[in-house]
């Protein structure tokens, strides 16, 4: 079951980053929906593992290959979904996961059936240009650094809060963790799509066990509040540095959301 959990973790990331890489809004949106289903599979698998008295971790063994066309991305994803077949548990949950994956494969085959879907992938071209706007190099550099730092932070928070949520019996804690996981999903989606637009899409680095096995909840929450405060500073600096009203307002928006995350975390204290 631990290997099943790892493979589903990897599949979640593969579907998620395929959605970031593809420019077509319809395909992007559908793949993101499937990634959220895969994340729920992870949640349910984790619960099942804990109920059996075992444990799981966030180890992974994968790379994000730089594909140049939509069909290359979809075909690779198709093979990965098919390769998951030996890991389905022979349970009601296993049957649910299997049927969800079967429909994902059906959707991928529909995409591949239409040649007009085979557009160029620009998410890995390293051009570091923001749409048709002529941002100064210093602004692009600041945006690049922010996106790499914050995409890792949001990935980390999704997994850490999910790990803690699965182990709490406190309803308030459970609800706060759910809110924080949901918010971090939105932020990771936003930052991943922005990285793809810049041509710098990359997987966040792997989590060390010490990151998510929390021994002192009080210290963890206080450290988390400090981290959110630091993210607010980065958002404000980026908003001030980028001479583009649309981007500046977006980072102001993220900044205000981080403020509410701090209030949510204070509830845990």
């Amino acid at each position: 079951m631990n290997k099943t959990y790892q493979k589903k973790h990897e599949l979640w990331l593969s579907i998620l980053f395929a959605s970031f890489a593809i420019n077509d809004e319809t395909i992007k949106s559908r793949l993101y929906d499937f990634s959220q289903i895969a994340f729920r599979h992870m949640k349910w698998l984790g619960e099942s593992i804990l109920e059996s008295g075992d444990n799981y971790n966030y180890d992974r063994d994968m790379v994000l290959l730089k594909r140049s066309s939509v069909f290359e991305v979809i075909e690779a994803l198709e093979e990965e979904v098919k390769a998951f077949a030996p890991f389905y548990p022979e349970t009601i949950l296993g049957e649910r996961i299997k049927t969800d994956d079967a429909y994902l494969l059906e959707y991928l085959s529909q995409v591949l059936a239409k040649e007009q879907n085979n557009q160029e992938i620009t998410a890995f071209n390293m051009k570091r240009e923001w749409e048709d706007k002529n941002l100064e190099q210093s602004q692009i550099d600041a945006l690049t650094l922010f996106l790499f730092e914050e995409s890792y932070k949001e990935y980390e928070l999704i997994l850490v809060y999910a790990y803690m949520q699965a182990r709490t019996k406190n309803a308030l804690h459970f609800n706060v963790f759910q809110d924080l996981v949901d918010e971090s999903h939105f932020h990771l989606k936003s930052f991943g799509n922005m990285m793809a637009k810049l041509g710098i899409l990359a997987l966040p680095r792997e989590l060390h066990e010490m990151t998510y096995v929390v021994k002192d909840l009080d210290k963890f929450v206080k450290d988390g509040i400090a981290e959110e405060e630091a993210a607010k500073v980065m958002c404000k600096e980026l908003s001030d540095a980028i001479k583009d009203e649309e981007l500046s307002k977006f980072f102001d928006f993220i900044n205000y959301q981080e403020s509410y995350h701090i209030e949510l975390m204070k509830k845990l204290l």
Side-chain angles (χ1 to χ4, degrees):
M1 283 293 283
N2 289 329
K3 194 65 176 177
T4 297
Y5 189 88
Q6 178 183 329
K7 290 299 179 186
K8 182 53 71 168
H9 178 189
E10 293 168 358
L11 186 54
W12 165 58
L13 286 174
S14 294
I15 302 168
L16 181 65
F17 277 75
S19 82
F20 296 158
I22 291 172
N23 293 326
D24 182 282
E25 288 296 334
T26 300
I27 300 173
K28 177 188 288 291
S29 177
R30 289 296 301 278
L31 288 180
Y32 186 78
D33 288 345
F34 280 115
S35 79
Q36 290 292 284
I37 292 171
F39 188 80
R40 288 199 291 279
H41 292 168
M42 283 176 63
K43 179 176 183 287
W44 297 331
L45 285 167
E47 289 170 353
S48 179
I49 290 168
L50 293 178
E51 286 169 2
S52 72
D54 205 348
N55 209 340
Y56 60 88
N57 58 46
Y58 290 133
D59 292 354
R60 63 178 212 229
D61 181 22
M62 64 181 298
V63 293
L64 185 64
L65 296 178
K66 297 181 178 181
R67 314 288 183 181
S68 59
S69 72
V70 169
F71 279 11
E72 286 181 20
V73 170
I74 297 298
E75 286 166 354
L77 188 55
E78 192 176 48
E79 290 305 308
E80 190 171 348
V81 178
K82 289 177 180 177
F84 189 79
F87 298 99
Y88 294 122
E90 293 189 6
T91 61
I92 294 172
L93 172 58
E95 189 62 26
R96 162 63 195 261
I97 296 172
K98 184 189 296 186
T99 54
D100 283 351
D101 284 359
Y103 187 66
L104 171 55
L105 286 171
E106 171 60 26
Y107 175 69
L108 297 179
S109 70
Q110 292 172 17
V111 173
L112 292 171
K114 297 179 180 178
E115 188 59 39
Q116 63 266 33
N117 289 330
N118 196 20
Q119 304 298 314
E120 181 186 8
I121 294 291
T122 59
F124 309 106
N125 64 18
M126 302 298 289
K127 283 190 175 180
R128 295 210 303 147
E129 295 173 353
W130 185 256
E131 298 177 334
D132 58 350
K133 297 174 181 177
N134 190 25
L135 296 182
E136 294 177 4
Q137 191 60 48
S138 60
Q139 295 173 39
I140 290 290
D141 290 345
L143 181 57
T144 299
L145 179 61
F146 176 89
L147 291 174
F148 273 102
E149 289 289 332
E150 290 301 296
S151 62
Y152 169 75
K153 189 198 86 169
E154 300 301 344
Y155 169 67
E156 174 192 68
L157 292 179
I158 288 168
L159 296 186
V160 172
Y161 290 135
Y163 193 89
M164 295 168 70
Q165 183 188 48
R167 289 159 176 77
T168 186
K169 303 299 181 185
N170 183 301
L172 172 64
H173 291 183
F174 186 94
N175 288 332
V176 170
F177 290 142
Q178 186 62 57
D179 285 339
L180 291 167
V181 167
D182 291 344
E183 293 279 280
S184 289
H185 273 300
F186 172 72
H187 286 191
L188 180 57
K189 177 185 178 182
S190 300
F191 300 152
N193 282 323
M194 293 176 79
M195 292 175 82
K197 281 187 179 182
L198 286 172
I200 57 170
L201 186 61
L203 278 176
R205 62 187 180 274
E206 190 175 345
L207 268 63
H208 190 281
E209 191 176 77
M210 290 176 64
T211 309
Y212 55 87
V213 179
V214 177
K215 305 294 186 183
D216 185 340
L217 179 59
D218 197 66
K219 181 179 183 302
F220 169 80
V221 174
K222 288 177 179 176
D223 289 346
I225 289 172
E227 189 174 24
E228 295 287 3
E229 292 283 9
K232 280 174 56 62
V233 171
M234 285 187 71
C235 277
K236 185 67 172 67
E237 289 177 348
L238 198 55
S239 177
D240 292 342
I242 291 182
K243 308 306 178 188
D244 177 82
E245 185 175 2
E246 185 180 339
L247 278 173
S248 291
K249 287 190 179 300
F250 171 75
F251 286 111
D252 285 340
F253 161 68
I254 296 295
N255 181 24
Y256 298 142
Q257 291 196 339
E258 301 287 13
S259 295
Y260 191 66
H261 296 172
I262 291 170
E263 295 307 311
L264 287 172
M265 295 175 79
K266 285 179 178 177
K267 284 188 178 182
L268 295 176
L269 295 177

